[in-house]
Amino acid sequence: MEVKDLLSVVHTYGSPVYVYDANKISAQYERLTKAFAAVPSLRINYAMKALSNVSILKLMRKLGAGLDTVSIQEVKLGLHAGFAPEQIIFTPNGVSMEEIEEAASLGVQLNIDNLSILEQFGSKHPQIPVCIRINPHVMAGGNSKISVGHIDSKFGISIHQIPHILRIVENTKMHINGIHMHTGSDILDIDVFLYAAEILFDAAKHFRELKFIDFGSGFKVPYKEGDIQTDIEELGEKLSQRFLEFCKLYGRNLTLAFEPGKFLVSEAGFFLVKVNVVKQTTSTVFAQIDSGFNHLIRPMFYGATHFIENISNPEGKKRFYSVVGYICETDTFASNRQIAEISEGDILCFRNAGAYCYTMASNYNSRPRPAEVLWIDGQAKLIRKAETLEDLLRNQVEIDL
């Protein structure tokens, strides 16, 4: 997308507003499938928690992706978007047996990550095949809050508990059709990922009815100029070769599965905001915008970096600004960041706003959530209306006092 396109979206739909570039999503999907072209059976399950707008889900389905879901509501949204049950994998954590059984009744692929549910489900429904999520005890990820494969993680069944899994499988006569891991987001070191993959291959040898091996995702995307990112092409070459070797050893071809979320949608997203006030204090120049961490929480929550540019004055002289929101507590997007000179009324653009941005938005301070727009075929298409005061009141029940 070009600057003029982004400005036209703000002109039409106001600010703040999220914009997603369909071409970039398609390009990322193609890049991933090309990297693993040597694998005869590849399945890309989009991790919809990254961005769950139904129109985005429909785009993923059109590209050929399946769906990775973590709640029964995500399962139902996926079905609503037109995915067949067999195209959806359900990988919850800490949910009730009732939610697991409801997902099973809808026909989706179950992925179970604890011994208790595995035994309960196997005892009641041994005929329904399930995948098992293994915790490889490998630390990967750019932040402790998004590293999920380490030994202290709540996710997955410990690799050291394989004997317990085998005992449950033998006692219940249940069927294991897949094995899965997810080490965490922002994987920096391919060798660490490949090491974890070897642990998963070793675990897979214990299960003779496997149809697929799911390596999760967590591929890092660049958040600023010169930022490092996961080398998908190198990973594709090395993991494909090793996967094919394992299949030969296993005795039949399996499906190689991934669950990318951020990789597919992060760079496709732009968050556009208006500068309400430029405030000079004794030590800082604040650019105060018409949004806050209620709309984009990642910088405050994860310490995440989002490249910010002034698209109203892209060629302006660079000055240092702290970009802050309107929430009534510390609400900082960037501190002392060099940005082209900002005036009140200018439009700022946050890059990499496609993943874990709108989906983590809230109504804190009773602020409505913004609109979402998909840029596709050279046009801006509204895919979610901005909320209004009526939306904030819709489910409240007023009582007489």
Side-chain angles (χ1 to χ4, degrees), residues 204-240:
K205 295 173 187 175
H206 296 285
F207 305 97
R208 296 310 308 167
E209 297 181 321
L210 294 181
K211 299 288 178 61
F212 65 93
I213 298 179
D214 191 328
F215 294 91
S217 181
F219 310 132
K220 188 182 186 314
V221 297
Y223 276 88
K224 53 192 174 183
E225 193 173 337
D227 199 6
I228 55 175
Q229 58 181 304
T230 305
D231 189 333
I232 292 297
E233 287 70 28
E234 182 185 355
L235 178 64
E237 182 183 348
K238 290 182 176 179
L239 184 57
S240 294

Side-chain angles (χ1 to χ4, degrees), residues 163-174 176 207:
H164 298 297
I165 297 173
L166 295 175
R167 176 180 55 82
I168 291 170
V169 171
E170 184 180 350
N171 290 344
T172 62
K173 308 303 180 194
M174 67 189 304
I176 308 302
F207 305 97

Side-chain angles (χ1 to χ4, degrees), residues 99-270:
E99 186 166 335
I100 297 279
E101 290 184 311
E102 185 177 359
S105 73
L106 294 172
V108 303
Q109 171 69 57
L110 300 179
N111 190 12
I112 295 177
D113 89 329
N114 71 84
L115 292 171
S116 175
I117 291 294
L118 186 69
E119 186 166 8
Q120 291 178 60
F121 190 84
S123 298
K124 292 179 72 175
H125 309 284
Q127 76 284 2
I128 299 177
V130 303
C131 177
I132 294 175
R133 179 174 184 170
I134 297 294
N135 182 340
H137 298 321
V138 172
M139 184 73 172
N143 183 292
S144 62
K145 294 176 182 175
I146 53 175
S147 295
V148 297
H150 56 85
I151 197 164
D152 292 323
S153 173
K154 70 172 184 171
F155 297 95
I157 301 173
S158 169
I159 191 67
H160 303 305
Q161 293 177 311
I162 290 287
H164 298 297
I165 297 173
L166 295 175
R167 176 180 55 82
I168 291 170
V169 171
E170 184 180 350
N171 290 344
T172 62
K173 308 303 180 194
M174 67 189 304
H175 302 279
I176 308 302
N177 67 344
I179 193 163
H180 167 279
M181 73 169 184
H182 181 56
T183 57
S185 295
D186 283 0
I187 292 168
L188 306 177
D189 191 337
I190 287 175
D191 289 336
V192 172
F193 189 89
L194 293 170
Y195 171 73
E198 288 300 327
I199 294 172
L200 200 60
F201 286 137
D202 193 56
K205 295 173 187 175
H206 296 285
F207 305 97
R208 296 310 308 167
E209 297 181 321
L210 294 181
K211 299 288 178 61
F212 65 93
I213 298 179
D214 191 328
F215 294 91
S217 181
F219 310 132
K220 188 182 186 314
V221 297
Y223 276 88
K224 53 192 174 183
E225 193 173 337
D227 199 6
I228 55 175
Q229 58 181 304
T230 305
D231 189 333
I232 292 297
E233 287 70 28
E234 182 185 355
L235 178 64
E237 182 183 348
K238 290 182 176 179
L239 184 57
S240 294
Q241 181 182 343
R242 184 66 190 92
F243 181 78
L244 293 174
E245 288 171 0
F246 175 81
C247 288
K248 193 172 181 182
L249 221 84
Y250 191 76
R252 67 172 182 275
N253 286 331
L254 302 176
T255 295
L256 190 159
F258 283 113
E259 298 163 355
K262 182 187 296 184
F263 179 81
L264 294 178
V265 298
S266 179
E267 294 173 274
F270 306 84

Side-chain angles (χ1 to χ4, degrees), residues 72-84:
I72 192 66
Q73 291 78 16
E74 285 191 348
V75 169
K76 291 176 179 178
L77 280 172
L79 294 171
H80 175 82
F83 286 89

